[in-house]
Amino acid sequence: MRIMSPISAIQTINHPIFKQHKISVQIKRDDQIDKVISGNKWRKLKYNLRHAKAIGADGIITFGGCFSNHIHACALACKQQQLSAIGIIRGEQSNHNNYTLSWAQHWGMQLSFVDRKTYRFRNDLDYLQRLQKQYPNYLIVPEGGSNSLALTGMAEVIDELNHQCEFDTIMSPVGSGGTLAGLILGDKAQHEILGISVLKQQNYLEQHVNELLPEHAKSYQNWQIMNQFHRGGYAKFTPDDAQRIHSFAQHVGVGFEPVYSGKMILALLDLMQAGYFSEHQRIVLLHTGGLQGLAGMFDRGLLAKQDWPELPIAPIKQQSSS
Ligand SMILES: *Cc1c(COP(=O)(O)O)cnc(C)c1O
């Protein structure tokens, strides 16, 4: 992770349906910030790693699933910053050699597998205090990197955009809410902020975003999370959803995946069709990255490899045998 941050590009995308509805769409290519440390995870880690260095921590402890973009990104970012990394992973040890986790270990992350019941304590104060006692010189970073330092990093997206273009609305996928909270903080109620929830939820994400926001930002009213575009739940999608994402990606020449950015695309298309946007509305899509997540879907036969963008880096087994 470079200390000087690169500024990600803003790119206009064209599609007949945008013309038909007379809206303009640009995409903020955070997926291009780094090949591996992708998109929003790079932004969210930036000040966390700086903080870890500043306090003289030995390393980072963080949390994620077996296919986590955050775990993958955090492992390499820590290596680059000469910090140790411990990943507390939800799920079976038998997953340790999948694409995501084999790379994480290759970059030096130490993995500790816990069952779902234990993983549920990941934000529990007692549990975290015990963990901190066990690893006194480590900075504990929550799942997905979403804490107040992450918001500072994400807020910089808006600073960049304010220099790059004029727009009315910014759209982003929402997982844990940290990304959206950072955008809200950085935006200072200048634009409409639309979060697309990629999971089924009962308004706890809105609550979580509010909890993450500093006091002065809690009164902003210019944001919402849309809950009707999760396509069945986290990482769930139908063959038809995948086909629509794939053909949109082909058309605009930008790679997406169906867990995060793809669901934002489907939401955009559905909202447009429903007449949600007004004529000449200028929309910016935040491409949050996450293409490494495709590997796990190829391996499990959930997607056909030839239809989707190339993985950022080759699987580690092939790499070492070549
Ligand atoms: C983690 C992630 C998100 C969700 O970000 P949150 O801050 O957890 O809401 C969106 N897109 C991609 C590609 C991600 O990896």
Side-chain angles (χ1 to χ4, degrees), residues 137-253:
N137 284 323
Y138 278 71
L139 177 69
I140 300 177
V141 173
E143 180 183 60
S146 294
N147 56 15
S148 64
L149 290 167
L151 267 56
T152 310
M154 282 311 313
E156 292 178 349
V157 168
I158 303 288
D159 299 336
E160 292 177 22
L161 281 172
N162 282 334
H163 288 102
Q164 288 175 311
C165 64
E166 288 187 4
F167 63 102
D168 304 302
T169 301
I170 179 164
M171 281 177 78
S172 169
V174 179
S176 70
T179 297
L180 198 75
L183 296 177
I184 295 165
L185 181 64
D187 192 63
K188 304 183 182 74
Q190 302 172 83
H191 307 99
E192 177 187 24
I193 302 174
L194 279 187
I196 305 301
S197 174
V198 302
L199 39 89
K200 258 192 235 175
Q201 62 119 2
Q202 278 87 39
N203 299 322
Y204 64 82
L205 280 175
E206 284 83 353
Q207 204 181 318
H208 190 229
V209 167
N210 261 315
E211 282 162 11
L212 280 168
L213 286 172
E215 215 49 54
H216 76 271
K218 287 189 202 291
S219 60
Y220 294 146
Q221 303 283 320
N222 60 317
W223 63 276
Q224 62 170 308
I225 298 177
M226 295 190 151
N227 288 309
Q228 65 274 44
F229 300 109
H230 58 71
R231 312 277 154 184
Y234 182 71
K236 299 221 166 80
F237 53 89
T238 65
D240 180 58
D241 294 334
Q243 176 52 43
R244 287 176 70 205
I245 296 165
H246 170 64
S247 75
F248 183 85
Q250 295 284 101
H251 202 101
V252 301

Side-chain angles (χ1 to χ4, degrees), residues 236-306:
K236 299 221 166 80
F237 53 89
T238 65
D240 180 58
D241 294 334
Q243 176 52 43
R244 287 176 70 205
I245 296 165
H246 170 64
S247 75
F248 183 85
Q250 295 284 101
H251 202 101
V252 301
V254 177
F256 299 105
E257 45 68 49
V259 179
Y260 293 104
S261 58
K263 286 189 181 174
M264 169 178 67
I265 295 301
L266 296 180
L268 171 76
L269 296 173
D270 289 353
L271 286 169
M272 230 181 315
Q273 217 89 64
Y276 179 82
F277 301 110
S278 43
E279 270 188 25
H280 309 301
Q281 193 159 340
R282 298 160 301 180
I283 298 161
V284 168
L285 306 172
L286 179 63
H287 195 318
T288 45
L291 295 181
Q292 75 86 29
L294 288 167
M297 308 215 152
F298 300 154
D299 289 347
R300 287 173 292 164
L302 297 173
L303 291 175
K305 200 170 173 173
Q306 68 272 13

